[in-house]
Each structure stands twice: as C-alpha cells, then as structure tokens.
Amino acid sequence: MKYPNSKNMSENTYNTIIVGGGIAGLTSAAFLARAGQKVLLIEKNKECGGLVNLFTSDGFHFDAGVRALEDAGIIFPMLKDLNIQLEIVKSPVSLGIENEIIHIENLDSLLKYRELLIKFFPESEGEIDKVLKIIRKIMKHMDVLYGIENPVFKDLKRDRAFLFKKLLPWLPKFIFTVGKINRMNLPVEEYLRTFVKNPSLLDIISQHFFKNTPAFFALSYFSLYLDYFYPKGGVGKLSEAMKNKITECGGEIRTETKIIEVIPDKCLVRDQNNITYKYENLIWAADLKTLYKIADTEGLFPEIKTKFDESKKKMLKNRGGDSVFSLFLEVDEPPDSFGKIANGHFFYTPSKLGLGETHREGLNYLLANFEKVEKEQILTWLDKFTRLNTYEISIPVLKDPELAPPGKTGIIISFLAEYDLFNKIQNAGWLDEFISELENRVLNVISDSVYPLLKDKTITRFSFTPLSIENRVGSSEGAITGWSFQKSMPVINKIQIADRSVLTPVPSIYQAGQWAYSPAGVPMAILTGKLAADRVIKKMKKLRKT
Ligand SMILES: Cc1cc2nc3c(=O)[nH]c(=O)nc-3n(C[C@H](O)[C@H](O)[C@H](O)COP(=O)(O)OP(=O)(O)OC[C@H]3O[C@@H](n4cnc5c(N)ncnc54)[C@H](O)[C@@H]3O)c2cc1C
C-alpha cells in the first residue's frame, strides 16, 4: 500500500523520518517501509547497526557491539514477520572461576553451576542453594514471559489460531508473572545481600551486571545463557538483513548524516550540512539526551512546550548506565586450542575473591579526588580491578569457522567500565598511556589464568573504550543499554505498559531504542522500534480516514 500523498511529496519530505540506524531505528524503518510509507532512515555513521555491528581487521571478523543475541520471544518473530531469513547457530555459553569451567547446555547445567560455586565457597552451601532456588523460580517466570512469540509481531486479526490458542490462554499467566517480577525490582546487590552474607560469593554472582540492575533482570541471565544465538557471519548480519529489507521495501537510507537540530513545530530536522528534511512523524532512535538538547521548542504550543521542558529536565538529570571496555586480539593460534578450554561465549572470573566494595568505593574515591591522586594510585587500583573482575570473552571463529584467517583466532575480551574514569584521564592528557596499561594488565591476567598461549601468540591488539562508544554511536556516557538504574527512571520501566514507552510530549515525535525503555538491550530496542512504527501506522490510518 502506498500512502495517498507519498507520491506527491517533495524530495526532502517524508511520511516518517527515523533518526538513528541502530537496531531500533532499522526495525521502525523496516516495518514502516513495508507498510508503504515514504520513509527516510538517517544514520550518522558510514554503516548502520549501531551496537549491533561487525568489522573486519586483517581478515579477522569481530563483533563491535553485542557479542551474541537473545531471541527473548522478539527477534525470531520479528524476522518471521518481515520474512527475513537469517542463517544462525546456537551460541553456547561457558562459565569459569579460576581453573574450573562449566559449559551451559540445558536446565540441568544449573546443577553444574551449583557444584562450581560450592567448590569455591563450601562454607556457603545454604546461601548458594537459596540463590539457585530463586534463579530456578525466575527461569520459570522467563518461560512465561518469553513463552510465546511476542504478540506485537503477530497479525491478531488474521492469525486467529495464535489469538485463541496461544495469546488468550497465556495472558492470565503473563499478568500473574508480571506481578511477581515487579516485586523483584530492587537492585540485585541489595536483593542478594539479604540472604548472601559471603561478600565474595555475592560478587561472583553479581559483578558482571550493571550497577543496581533490577534483581529480576540480573538473575534471569541463566535463562538468557540458554537463549543466545549467533548469526552466521557475525552479529552485524542482523543489521545488514534489516537494512536490505528497508531498501527492498522502498525505504531510503542516508548514512554519514548527523542530525544536529530538530524543529518540532515545523516538523523539520537539520543535518550537519545544513540540509533540512521534513516529516509528518519523527521516530528518534538515538540518544535521548541529544534529542532534548538539540530540539528548538520555541514554536511549540505552550502546554506541549511545558511538558517537553519537564521531560528535558528529567532526561538531562539522569545518566547513561555502565559502559564497556573491549580488548580485541588477533592471535596466531588455531581456534581448537581455545575451543577445548571453553565455548565461544565465555564469562570468566580469574579470582574467586570478587571485586568487593573496594572496587566501587576505591573508584569513587579516585573519581572524587581525581585532581589530587597520583597516576600510580590509579594504576595500583587498576591492578586490583583487572585481577578481580569478571570478563566476557567472545571468540567469533568458534561460532562460525569463516570468521578468522585459517589457523588463527580473533578474541574479544570485555568488561564493564566507568565512563567518568576514561573521560577524566583523557582530560588529564594520558588516555593512550592508560589504555596501554589497561590492555597489558588484561592480557596478563587472562594469559596467567585461562589462556596461557595468549602471551606469545598475540599478533595484534587494539581496544574500544567507553569514549569510543560515545563517539561512535553518540550514546551518553558511552552507555550500551540506556539509562543507569536508579530510583527515578526517566522512561517507562514496566513491561505491562511498554507500549507507552515510545511516546514523547510532542505528538509527532516518537522515541525508540535503548533509551526509550528500561531495562534495555537488543530485544527491547527491537520491540520499541516496532511499537513506534505501529503507533505511526495507526495514527496515519486514522488521519487518512478523516
Ligand atoms: C559489548 C556489548 C555487549 C552487549 N551485550 C548485550 C547482551 O548480551 N544483550 C543485549 O540485549 N544487549 C547487549 N548489548 C546492548 C545492545 O547492543 C544495545 O542496547 C542495542 O543494540 C541498542 O540499540 P539501539 O538501536 O537502541 O541504539 P544504538 O545501537 O546506540 O543505535 C543508535 C544509532 O543512532 C545513531 N545516531 C546517534 N546520534 C545520531 C544523530 N544525531 N544523527 C544520526 N544518527 C545518530 C548512532 O550512530 C547509532 O547507529 C551490548 C552492547 C555492547 C556494546
């Protein structure tokens, strides 16, 4: 279907403009283009995908952002709805502490996890059993939440079988489960502390989650480990497939185009070359603080302007959540040498001691007294931080043998990192030195523990910091999953009202992506992208009728 006035629109006028070609923006654009709208997707980088991306270096393929995907009842239904065929493989996960590694294969692996924890914390068997009981309970809730294909991607008018046989019987269970999970919204550290008294155990369970992650979300990770899959060719193939779908459906994509001004009363956006584009609807699928900073609201109706200004205050007061540091290694060693140790997606903690409060307290002290502290103090802190941390290690070639030159292996080692530390060090003028010190320490820790062969066999190394993420995708504080978890979240954070998350105070502007709903990640970015597209389609249909 073509929208009646699409044909008559002047060159730079669109039914819907989507700003941000990450997975959220790609989703919105794909569904709107399929619906026959005149659509323009604007992306500031050369390539689309945002944090769902891949790049190649010396023949090694690396995932630049997320390392594997979770369906979460969202990604597969979305692909099916758009008729996109994506070749995928499972992305099995291993978990390791010091020299013990387990491979997560199915629900029974939870027992292996129990044994692993008991081996290191035999005195805390009772506490471990309590944690596992909760994880099991959460896994049951997750089975309900993700138990059916997300109805947002179903045509409920036509697919009566889904409506009557799946959706309606599922709804009461869903409502019951939502009630349960909303009661587990407090920060995971706080939640676990009520029954885990051993601080090292608490750290080992929780230190690779973002600070203050809601307990339900954090402890659902065991379910997610079983859900991970990997597109052949790399995670970025998902973005590529979406991009192709948009163009196939007649949507337009403009890359290397950065929006620097939004003028809502005139329905215009302006790019870095001073070119303006006119829209009927705008979907902002990029950093939300940016939208509020660059919007010129002078011409808006007073009540809309007031609401917008209130939202702006809330947004600008809040921060992006934790960011990540990633070390990329090109290694002259065949994949098998790594494959016999752990799977290609591996969460590894080299020391059972755990980061402890010294990490946050120590870091907070360094940040608060940055002008006074010596470089040596920061590097001493860094020693401890790298020794006691948990690492997400990804080896793409173990998931797809095409992803490295023959006989060689590319490895990505990452961990949560504090944006402010990198920012302050950059301002103090020694960022390159700090990065090199950090890379050395990470390499030493990992080669002294799980992969000794890294020491002599690494050919090339380079890394991305929270500042690189901020620069590349324009994400506030280098955040990778939107807002930091805090008491007053500036966006919707309840699944039962997720459909409202895409609304902004301006009726013609919608929001989508990691900043629109919390907690976020790839599935929620996709879901909000679709919800925003649905709102636009519904509104346009109504308008066309009148
Ligand atoms: C290392 C790592 C591991 C992760 N692990 C997981 C995981 O296990 N599970 C999970 O669910 N999620 C994970 N994530 C997070 C997930 O990748 C992101 O939350 C998600 O991809 C965000 O998608 P988005 O489209 O909302 O935003 P983004 O990917 O940030 O896309 C926004 C896009 O907008 C563009 N843009 C910004 N400003 C402008 C402008 N002014 N004009 C034009 N374009 C603009 C950017 O260039 C970017 O392409 C991980 C991320 C990283 C980096």
Side-chain angles (χ1 to χ4, degrees):
M1 181 185 96
K2 271 273 166 247
Y3 279 73
N5 60 2
S6 317
K7 286 190 290 265
N8 310 328
M9 283 179 160
S10 66
E11 206 191 321
N12 271 4
T13 304
Y14 297 86
N15 293 130
T16 305
I17 291 180
I18 299 111
V19 177
I23 199 66
L26 287 165
T27 305
S28 296
F31 281 99
L32 289 167
R34 189 187 68 174
Q37 288 208 3
K38 189 179 177 202
V39 166
L40 173 65
L41 175 67
I42 299 180
E43 165 57 46
K44 79 177 180 63
N45 290 331
K46 218 176 184 157
E47 72 294 323
C48 289
L51 294 173
V52 181
N53 209 319
L54 70 103
F55 69 97
T56 306
S57 161
D58 306 321
F60 293 84
H61 297 260
F62 291 112
D63 301 297
V66 57
R67 314 297 188 224
L69 301 167
E70 302 127 15
D71 167 40
I74 289 173
I75 302 188
F76 294 149
M78 178 274 286
L79 291 172
K80 195 163 135 197
D81 195 0
L82 286 174
N83 197 17
I84 292 177
Q85 266 82 37
L86 193 67
E87 214 186 325
I88 59 156
V89 289
K90 280 296 282 177
S91 179
V93 167
S94 298
L95 293 180
I97 305 170
E98 296 185 0
N99 53 357
E100 296 289 334
I101 296 166
I102 60 165
H103 310 301
I104 311 294
E105 282 145 8
N106 49 38
L107 285 179
D108 293 340
S109 307
L110 209 50
L111 287 177
K112 286 201 259 176
Y113 185 48
R114 176 181 184 273
E115 281 160 24
L116 177 76
L117 292 177
I118 289 178
K119 193 167 234 160
F120 287 99
F121 306 101
E123 69 288 359
S124 305
E125 190 172 338
E127 296 180 0
I128 291 167
D129 280 335
K130 271 191 201 152
V131 174
L132 290 197
K133 198 171 155 196
I134 287 161
I135 292 181
R136 257 192 216 102
K137 220 194 271 168
I138 291 178
M139 287 176 89
K140 282 204 182 121
H141 295 331
M142 296 296 280
D143 285 347
V144 173
L145 277 191
Y146 299 163
I148 63 166
E149 294 166 282
N150 196 298
V152 168
F153 298 96
K154 303 298 274 185
D155 183 347
L156 297 182
K157 278 199 191 122
R158 295 215 178 94
D159 197 344
R160 308 308 267 185
F162 176 80
L163 176 65
F164 291 112
K165 293 205 176 119
K166 292 198 175 153
L167 184 59
L168 292 179
W170 170 80
L171 271 178
K173 287 189 263 176
F174 171 72
I175 292 163
F176 176 76
T177 304
V178 163
K180 293 258 176 209
I181 65 176
N182 281 346
R183 263 171 257 148
M184 286 182 75
N185 232 350
L186 71 165
V188 62
E189 305 88 338
E190 205 180 300
Y191 179 78
L192 287 175
R193 223 173 272 133
T194 55
F195 55 92
V196 176
K197 302 299 169 204
N198 182 334
S200 292
L201 173 62
L202 193 134
D203 277 346
I204 295 300
I205 297 168
S206 67
Q207 71 184 15
H208 64 289
F209 303 124
F210 299 105
K211 187 169 175 243
N212 293 340
T213 303
F216 171 77
F217 191 55
L219 297 175
S220 71
Y221 257 72
F222 212 87
S223 283
L224 300 186
Y225 290 154
L226 294 170
D227 198 27
Y228 272 122
F229 70 93
Y230 192 74
K232 280 220 148 190
V235 159
K237 290 287 171 192
L238 171 65
S239 304
E240 220 175 277
M242 303 282 287
K243 190 177 153 227
N244 293 341
K245 180 53 71 175
I246 296 166
T247 35
E248 184 192 311
C249 295
E252 205 181 309
I253 300 177
R254 237 172 240 229
T255 53
E256 294 181 88
T257 305
K258 182 174 177 179
I259 294 306
I260 56 163
E261 191 182 13
V262 178
I263 311 161
D265 64 309
K266 299 198 170 69
C267 291
L268 287 177
V269 288
R270 185 188 308 282
D271 75 11
Q272 80 278 18
N273 297 318
N274 214 19
I275 300 173
T276 55
Y277 309 82
K278 194 161 172 56
Y279 59 80
E280 288 176 276
N281 304 285
L282 174 68
I283 297 179
W284 188 266
D287 181 71
L288 263 187
K289 282 198 203 179
T290 305
L291 168 66
Y292 280 88
K293 280 184 202 154
I294 66 173
D296 173 0
T297 55
E298 278 318 306
L300 284 174
F301 289 121
E303 62 272 32
I304 295 180
K305 182 172 164 18
T306 307
K307 276 195 195 149
F308 194 90
D309 289 343
E310 280 165 10
S311 266
K312 178 175 179 173
K313 234 188 253 164
K314 264 203 288 183
M315 301 281 171
L316 298 190
K317 202 171 74 188
N318 280 284
R319 279 179 61 91
D322 288 327
S323 189
V324 78
F325 180 89
S326 301
L327 173 62
F328 296 82
L329 303 175
E330 297 172 8
V331 188
D332 189 8
E333 181 71 25
D336 270 3
S337 308
F338 297 94
K340 60 187 181 209
I341 297 172
N343 284 316
H345 197 174
F346 180 26
F347 293 88
Y348 179 62
T349 311
S351 163
K352 71 166 223 174
L353 287 179
L355 277 167
E357 274 308 303
T358 41
H359 158 47
R360 292 276 174 209
E361 276 170 17
L363 181 60
N364 288 345
Y365 174 82
L366 293 178
L367 292 175
N369 300 283
F370 194 80
E371 274 66 38
K372 284 185 270 167
V373 296
E374 302 283 330
K375 214 184 248 185
E376 277 314 309
Q377 278 174 276
I378 295 179
L379 295 179
T380 307
W381 172 83
L382 200 59
D383 280 335
K384 201 167 178 187
F385 178 69
T386 47
R387 247 185 319 111
L388 304 179
N389 215 337
T390 295
Y391 295 90
E392 181 177 10
I393 301 176
S394 173
I395 305 186
V397 71
L398 288 180
K399 302 173 223 178
D400 176 357
E402 303 288 305
L403 296 184
K408 299 196 164 106
T409 305
I411 302 188
I412 316 165
I413 305 174
S414 50
F415 51 89
L416 296 180
E418 172 60 52
Y419 169 87
D420 284 350
L421 181 66
F422 287 82
N423 198 27
K424 281 181 190 274
I425 288 173
Q426 182 182 47
N427 293 339
W430 59 290
L431 182 65
D432 287 346
E433 182 187 343
F434 179 71
I435 291 173
S436 171
E437 293 282 353
L438 181 49
E439 287 180 358
N440 287 340
R441 280 167 177 74
V442 173
L443 201 49
N444 284 339
V445 165
I446 300 297
S447 53
D448 286 345
S449 52
V450 69
Y451 295 134
L453 35 85
L454 281 185
K455 206 158 233 157
D456 302 322
K457 298 291 182 81
T458 299
I459 321 163
T460 302
R461 71 178 204 204
F462 53 93
S463 46
F464 293 169
T465 73
L467 302 174
S468 336
I469 293 180
E470 181 188 43
N471 288 337
R472 213 175 70 80
V473 298
S475 154
S476 290
E477 289 83 42
I480 61 168
T481 56
W483 301 103
S484 108
F485 297 110
Q486 55 229 319
K487 285 211 171 81
S488 71
M489 188 58 74
V491 291
I492 299 275
N493 61 350
K494 293 204 166 61
I495 193 70
Q496 65 274 31
I497 49 170
D499 66 317
R500 276 189 242 156
S501 64
V502 299
L503 301 175
T504 76
V506 183
S508 57
I509 304 183
Y510 300 84
Q511 59 194 27
Q514 56 165 320
W515 301 96
Y517 177 90
S518 177
V522 176
M524 279 318 283
I526 290 175
L527 188 73
T528 53
K530 173 69 161 66
L531 289 169
D534 284 352
R535 290 262 180 185
V536 169
I537 291 169
K538 204 166 157 193
K539 185 173 102 183
M540 298 283 279
K541 265 191 195 153
K542 229 182 189 172
L543 281 176
R544 302 291 179 233
K545 270 190 201 151
T546 52

